[in-house]
Amino acid sequence: MKITVIGAGYVGLVTAACFAELGNQVLCVKKTEKNLEDLRKGISPIYEPGLNEILQNNLKKDRIKFTTEIGKAVNFSQVIFVCVGTPQNDDGEADLSQIEEVAREIARNIEGYKLIIEKSTVPVHTHQWIKKTIKRYSPDEVDFEVASNPEFLREGSAVEDFMNPDRIVVGVKSDHARSTFKKLYSPLTDKGHELIMVSPASAELIKHASNSFLAMKISYINMIAELCEKVGVDIKSVAEGIGSDKRIGKKFLEAGIGYGGSCFPKDLKAFIKIAEDSGVDFKLLRDTDEINSNTRIKFLEKIDDILWINKDKKIAVWGLAFKPNTDDTRDAPSLEIVDRLHQKGAQLNLFDPKAMGNFKLSFPEDDLIHYHDNKYDALEDSDALIILTEWEEFIDADLSRMKNLMKLPIIIDGRNIYEPRNMRGFEYYGIGRNNSDVSEILK
Ligand code: UDX
């Protein structure tokens, strides 16, 4: 099938490449010429495991092309995925100006029937606004339908999540659109992946409800971790114990410095705003958001309690990305934590396997901030190590080499990547960890 994808960011690029990989003919539209030549060579501007390979594979097979001409793209196919950004406004509302701009462009260029599919995360009933906009701005009577097909891709595993989805959610009205989606996703449903067909409004709401539930689960375990610290219980034992209940599930019960990224923080606030505008009080989600903000503040207080004065202390920071396997630092806890330590005059030696380029945009090198090209150099002669992202290479690091490199063997672990019982010789601090209660779950 021929497919148009409008937007070449984290969602658009993965969607375009993966649909091409599934055997479709894809034309992906970018707003600007930036990175266009790289994309045409199969070089992705974002780090996403496996993305470059499938880009190159499908460029070779001539199954994916890139353009900045939206008019050509609108009429390249009957199926148009809208994958543009919906960033957050100051009041927490989703900024839908890019969505509206695309709807106007489609209206100006549309020829013949189109199935317009919102994949961007949007407030419920946005599909009606897209429909109204296209009717208003198209010169003649046009035949089209607006559907919703929210993505559930996690950064760092987006290609994997697209090819092996827990479920595919589609919000459609007509039988024609239903059959188009069934054909589009048949390579995945044939492998047993579930295709859930609902109304467009339900599909829009499922996305926000899903993300905010996951965020709530994280704030829940971080709230419990705070109690664990006070009463001398190990949060990992508690997480194992509750997560073994299939109704709760073991995932998203990792206590730490909380969630960041371009989705949870923004989607939660947008969902709260939608509810308030509809006269419903989402206090539970406001508390979720507040607990997450406080988790970072409490981590900074922990650093003060452990190090006393930060000024002139040589502090190594491992991990800047909001999570491992991505270069993305949007709303990463590291931004707030590094900012506060920087303001207090600490000597900061930073390392992240992928995210230093993006992080430097917020925190360029200066007399207090230094970047290193490997984790051990960053650790040299440090008064303490602070861990903010659970990259595999930190988990596998050589503890004795670390101890020899550090001036003081103090580790403040914001992602609980180490086991207290293995940290002999270190002054090791996790979150909600407790040496005495690090019980083994009998296998
Ligand atoms: C999320 C949703 O998972 C995905 O379905 C949606 O499409 C986009 O938003 P993403 O933000 O890329 O994906 O990453 P995710 O793996 O969900 O982690 C989000 C944040 O939660 C990260 O900062 C991560 O460090 C944090 N997290 C995750 C925890 O603190 N504890 C956990 O147990 C899991």
Side-chain angles (χ1 to χ4, degrees):
M1 196 184 289
K2 291 173 80 174
I3 296 172
T4 294
V5 173
I6 300 178
Y10 277 94
V11 175
L13 194 49
V14 171
T15 300
C18 289
F19 270 128
E21 185 71 7
L22 293 182
N24 300 286
Q25 202 64 37
V26 179
L27 181 57
C28 183
V29 196
K30 270 186 92 323
K31 198 168 159 76
T32 65
E33 300 277 337
K34 188 168 173 267
N35 300 321
L36 197 57
E37 281 325 303
D38 279 352
L39 283 168
R40 286 172 174 158
K41 289 186 210 124
I43 302 164
S44 158
I46 54 173
Y47 172 72
E48 194 56 59
L51 183 56
N52 277 353
E53 292 78 358
I54 60 168
L55 266 181
Q56 283 148 25
N57 177 33
N58 287 282
L59 283 165
K60 254 186 246 126
K61 294 176 181 169
D62 201 23
R63 285 203 300 230
I64 187 167
K65 285 190 171 26
F66 295 93
T67 180
T68 54
E69 295 168 58
I70 191 160
K72 187 173 86 174
V74 164
N75 294 305
F76 169 76
S77 72
Q78 287 196 346
V79 174
I80 302 175
F81 279 91
V82 180
C83 304
V84 293
T86 54
Q88 187 186 312
N89 274 334
D90 296 345
D91 63 0
E93 201 164 45
D95 173 356
L96 300 178
S97 52
Q98 294 182 60
I99 298 272
E100 209 256 5
E101 187 188 341
V102 166
R104 287 206 304 269
E105 287 291 345
I106 292 173
R108 271 199 279 277
N109 294 283
I110 194 169
E111 290 157 16
Y113 170 79
K114 300 292 170 200
L115 175 58
I116 296 139
I117 305 162
E118 48 179 37
K119 188 162 269 293
S120 307
T121 301
V122 292
V124 61
H125 293 315
T126 299
H127 68 285
Q128 288 170 347
W129 274 108
I130 295 174
K131 184 174 175 182
K132 200 184 289 182
T133 304
I134 293 173
K135 281 186 179 302
R136 277 179 179 163
Y137 286 85
S138 42
D140 328 296
E141 196 61 26
V142 282
D143 177 16
F144 69 97
E145 176 172 348
V146 183
S148 169
N149 175 211
E151 51 79 23
F152 299 99
L153 309 178
R154 290 167 298 165
E155 286 185 40
S157 57
V159 172
E160 167 63 21
D161 290 344
F162 188 102
M163 295 301 188
N164 293 287
D166 286 353
R167 79 301 198 190
I168 301 155
V169 171
V170 166
V172 282
K173 286 203 180 74
S174 73
D175 289 341
H176 176 70
R178 265 186 208 89
S179 63
T180 302
F181 275 108
K182 282 182 184 150
K183 203 165 148 227
L184 257 179
Y185 284 113
S186 58
L188 301 179
T189 51
D190 290 353
K191 289 196 296 183
H193 297 294
E194 188 185 6
L195 176 58
I196 299 171
M197 296 268 196
V198 294
S199 72
S202 300
E204 289 166 334
L205 204 133
I206 286 167
K207 170 66 182 177
H208 269 137
S210 182
N211 262 10
S212 51
F213 183 88
L214 291 168
M216 181 181 70
K217 202 173 174 185
I218 294 166
S219 282
Y220 176 82
I221 202 66
N222 283 329
M223 176 184 75
I224 301 293
E226 191 182 352
L227 178 62
C228 286
E229 295 238 340
K230 301 281 189 231
V231 298
V233 168
D234 181 62
I235 187 62
K236 284 210 174 177
S237 307
V238 172
E240 176 84 21
I242 62 174
S244 303
D245 180 325
K246 288 186 178 46
R247 296 168 303 172
I248 296 173
K250 295 186 177 174
K251 293 187 175 168
F252 280 67
L253 286 177
E254 303 287 339
I257 48 178
Y259 58 80
S262 64
C263 298
F264 282 178
K266 138 182 112 67
D267 291 355
L268 201 71
K269 291 181 176 70
F271 204 26
I272 293 166
K273 188 79 175 58
I274 291 161
E276 284 170 358
D277 292 349
S278 313
V280 178
D281 179 14
F282 268 19
K283 183 178 180 316
L284 179 60
L285 296 188
R286 286 204 307 278
D287 290 346
T288 297
D289 192 36
E290 190 180 336
I291 289 168
N292 193 58
S293 306
N294 290 341
T295 303
R296 299 173 187 194
I297 294 166
K298 287 183 170 38
F299 187 69
L300 283 161
E301 288 166 0
K302 180 193 277 275
I303 293 171
D304 290 345
D305 292 347
I306 294 162
L307 298 184
W308 187 26
I309 307 300
N310 293 316
K311 187 169 166 37
D312 298 332
K313 287 269 166 62
K314 201 168 180 186
I315 298 175
V317 176
W318 281 4
L320 301 170
F322 82 96
K323 62 179 280 194
N325 302 318
T326 180
D327 59 358
D328 198 347
T329 59
R330 285 175 290 181
D331 209 347
S334 57
L335 292 165
E336 191 173 333
I337 291 161
V338 166
D339 185 40
R340 282 283 306 283
L341 293 172
H342 187 220
Q343 283 176 20
K344 291 185 165 186
Q347 280 280 347
L348 296 167
N349 291 290
L350 312 178
F351 173 72
D352 184 287
K354 293 287 176 190
M356 291 193 287
N358 286 331
F359 202 80
K360 280 176 185 170
L361 302 176
S362 306
F363 292 94
E365 289 245 355
D366 63 18
D367 55 338
L368 291 176
I369 289 188
H370 306 288
Y371 292 87
H372 296 266
D373 52 18
N374 73 76
K375 55 183 175 287
Y376 294 118
D377 284 359
L379 205 50
E380 181 92 35
D381 196 34
S382 58
D383 294 299
L385 164 63
I386 293 176
I387 297 169
L388 301 181
T389 314
E390 64 278 26
W391 283 97
E392 203 64 39
E393 69 165 274
F394 300 157
I395 297 168
D396 300 339
D398 178 340
L399 289 175
S400 55
R401 183 173 174 190
M402 290 165 67
K403 197 138 86 64
N404 294 334
L405 282 166
M406 297 173 79
K407 190 197 300 171
L408 295 177
I410 297 174
I411 296 180
I412 307 170
D413 182 356
R415 292 293 183 187
N416 288 340
I417 68 171
Y418 298 127
E419 282 309 315
R421 63 172 173 276
N422 301 334
M423 305 310 284
R424 207 170 307 288
F426 287 93
E427 228 185 286
Y428 174 76
Y429 302 87
I431 292 189
R433 300 313 304 272
N434 184 287
N435 279 315
S436 55
D437 182 49
V438 183
S439 55
E440 278 293 316
I441 301 284
L442 294 179
K443 299 294 175 201

